[in-house]
Amino acid sequence: MSNGLIQSSGNNQELEEIGWQYLEELLSRSFFDAVQEYYPFLIFGMHDLIHELAISVAQMESSNMKVFAQDICPMTWHISFPNPSRVPKDALCSCLGKLSRIRTVMFEEGSSREFFLEMCISRFKHLRVIDLYGSSFDILPSSIGGLNHLRFLHLSDNRNIKKLPKSVCKLRNLQCLGLGGCRGLEELPADIKNMISLRVLFITTRHIGGCENLEALFDDIQSLTSLHKLLIGGCPKLASLPQGIKNMKALEDLWISGGCRNLRLLEGESNEPRFVLRLQSFIFGGSSEIVSLAGWLEGSASTLQRIMTGDCRNLRVLPEWLQNCSSLRTLGIEDCPRLSSLPDGIRCIATLTYLQIINCEEIEEEIRC
């Protein structure tokens, strides 16, 4: 998506859906294998022969540099740099002098040397992807805000970065911002709501620790009108979701993982008729406050494909509308000892292909009977 390789077919399909169709086609032709799912992530393996073929086909466009002294084709679009931290400045400048068409920049884990990153940003004005996963940059150059074509910025597991430059919020075309594991990050820029193309946002900050001290999400979260996935985890002081979440029309995946033990699901708004969510997956766990699923989730009954819950010790009942989930494929329930039964109609959901119930003694007893 970030490099424009996925094209809309004009039938209102989301780019993610089209991309998944591409992947299914490649899977069916054995270009990929060994698929593993760690929801919401998928991991693909590639056979050695296919890998060699891919490298052969892409040799003019892609380069995985081992050392800065190696020859690079001037036609290269996608490049992976070794760690520049121990390379003389002249050698780094010489390397960049050969390149001008770059769309993707990746650094190996542990990389630093801010001036080299700034040189890349100033020279490659048409960058679509910057992948700095596991790097140790202390700051990002403010010039990053001038990369009008940037779609993907990945900074996850950078433990040194403390702040993002305000100019990051000028990246109006950015689709994915990865800040997971950035535990030194003290705050987010105030104008992050202006990033109107953002589809994926993953955050950990020092200001909220490992999210231990987070008490609320920003109220105008609905300003992120393109956000498809919202993942929340390890937030023991988070008491509720922001009211604005009900107006996030693009949201498809809401995942509330372990460590949010005090989170309520807006139960007080269960009769609110104006929720416009069209969720495809809802995953929640680790909360002692949830006794039932919030009524506003019923608005997604026709679109929900996956519902999973775990370690909700006080969950007592599943709603009757669950049997109306006409697209439901996966239902997983684990460690919910007070949940005594399933709605009768669940057995009649034609699309349900995976049902998992673990450590829910009362339900298991009911099924045996």
Side-chain angles (χ1 to χ4, degrees):
M1 284 174 56
S2 299
N3 275 296
L5 299 176
I6 299 177
Q7 299 296 322
S8 173
S9 55
N11 59 356
N12 295 323
Q13 275 188 303
E14 294 286 354
L15 294 179
E16 288 89 349
E17 293 179 61
I18 299 170
W20 178 244
Q21 291 171 6
Y22 290 178
L23 286 172
E24 286 185 323
E25 178 73 12
L26 292 169
L27 280 167
S28 70
R29 297 175 181 270
S30 300
F31 275 71
F32 293 127
D33 56 20
V35 180
Q36 298 180 57
E37 181 175 358
Y38 298 94
Y39 190 83
F41 307 107
L42 291 173
I43 297 176
F44 297 92
M46 181 182 285
H47 192 279
D48 288 347
L49 292 176
I50 296 294
H51 184 247
E52 290 176 13
L53 174 63
I55 290 175
S56 175
V57 170
Q59 61 183 345
M60 297 294 289
E61 292 187 357
S62 299
S63 176
N64 183 3
M65 294 182 64
K66 303 298 183 185
V67 293
F68 278 94
Q70 78 181 67
D71 254 354
I72 310 170
C73 175
M75 305 300 289
T76 297
W77 283 42
H78 315 289
I79 191 164
S80 174
F81 288 112
N83 191 336
S85 59
R86 294 179 294 275
V87 180
K89 188 172 183 178
D90 290 347
L92 297 177
C93 294
S94 174
C95 169
L96 294 187
K98 308 170 187 176
L99 305 170
S100 62
R101 298 163 54 93
I102 300 297
R103 299 293 185 271
T104 300
V105 166
M106 303 177 70
F107 286 80
E108 70 178 29
E109 291 188 38
S111 292
S112 57
R113 208 74 181 266
E114 280 80 5
F115 92 89
F116 183 66
L117 176 58
E118 186 160 9
M119 287 172 61
C120 290
I121 291 171
S122 63
R123 184 167 181 81
F124 308 142
K125 291 299 186 182
H126 296 280
L127 277 173
R128 295 292 195 99
V129 174
I130 299 179
D131 190 341
L132 303 174
Y133 175 83
S135 64
S136 55
F137 294 101
D138 293 325
I139 57 174
L140 285 183
S142 59
S143 56
I144 198 170
L147 294 176
N148 296 326
H149 302 280
L150 196 66
R151 302 293 196 273
F152 183 99
L153 178 58
H154 193 22
L155 289 161
S156 292
D157 278 1
N158 182 322
R159 304 300 177 96
N160 292 350
I161 196 162
K162 294 179 173 60
K163 292 184 179 180
L164 298 178
K166 294 179 180 179
S167 60
V168 163
C169 298
K170 295 179 180 178
L171 298 173
R172 297 297 181 89
N173 290 311
L174 196 71
Q175 297 173 342
C176 179
L177 177 59
L179 299 169
C182 296
R183 299 187 182 278
L185 196 64
E186 296 173 349
E187 61 183 5
L188 295 176
D191 290 332
I192 194 171
K193 63 183 180 183
N194 294 335
M195 303 175 79
I196 55 177
S197 298
L198 207 59
R199 302 168 85 96
V200 180
L201 175 62
F202 188 24
I203 306 172
T204 305
T205 74
R206 194 182 78 179
H207 178 65
I208 55 175
C211 300
E212 299 95 0
N213 299 315
L214 179 67
E215 296 181 0
L217 296 174
F218 49 103
D219 289 332
D220 49 359
I221 193 171
Q222 69 270 18
S223 299
L224 302 178
T225 54
S226 296
L227 197 67
H228 280 55
K229 300 180 187 297
L230 178 59
L231 285 63
I232 304 170
C235 304
K237 292 187 180 179
L238 185 64
S240 65
L241 299 174
Q243 292 293 329
I245 199 172
K246 65 185 179 183
N247 295 316
M248 299 180 71
K249 297 180 181 180
L251 193 65
E252 296 176 350
D253 300 293
L254 177 58
W255 184 17
I256 303 165
S257 62
C260 299
R261 56 180 176 270
N262 293 311
L263 182 64
R264 297 177 180 271
L265 294 178
L266 298 176
E267 288 93 339
E269 297 291 327
S270 59
N271 296 319
E272 171 67 58
R274 296 182 181 177
F275 279 80
V276 295
L277 286 177
R278 305 283 289 172
L279 293 176
Q280 293 184 13
S281 69
F282 177 62
I283 296 178
F284 66 101
S287 173
S288 59
E289 295 294 327
I290 296 175
V291 296
S292 65
L293 293 189
W296 52 267
L297 287 167
E298 185 175 2
S300 298
S302 63
T303 57
L304 273 168
Q305 299 176 20
R306 177 190 299 260
I307 299 175
M308 301 188 76
T309 179
D311 193 25
C312 290
R313 299 288 170 169
N314 290 312
L315 181 67
R316 291 177 170 83
V317 63
L318 294 177
E320 289 299 319
W321 58 258
L322 205 60
Q323 62 194 357
N324 300 325
C325 291
S326 54
S327 300
L328 192 65
R329 298 176 183 174
T330 298
L331 176 61
I333 307 168
E334 184 172 355
D335 292 324
C336 298
R338 296 195 176 188
L339 188 62
S340 59
S341 64
L342 300 176
D344 290 337
I346 280 184
R347 295 175 174 85
C348 301
I349 300 176
T351 55
L352 190 63
T353 57
Y354 182 84
L355 174 63
Q356 182 183 61
I357 301 173
I358 300 175
N359 292 337
C360 301
E361 295 179 3
E362 295 193 33
I363 295 181
E364 291 168 5
E365 182 64 29
E366 177 193 29
I367 291 174
R368 282 193 292 271
C369 295

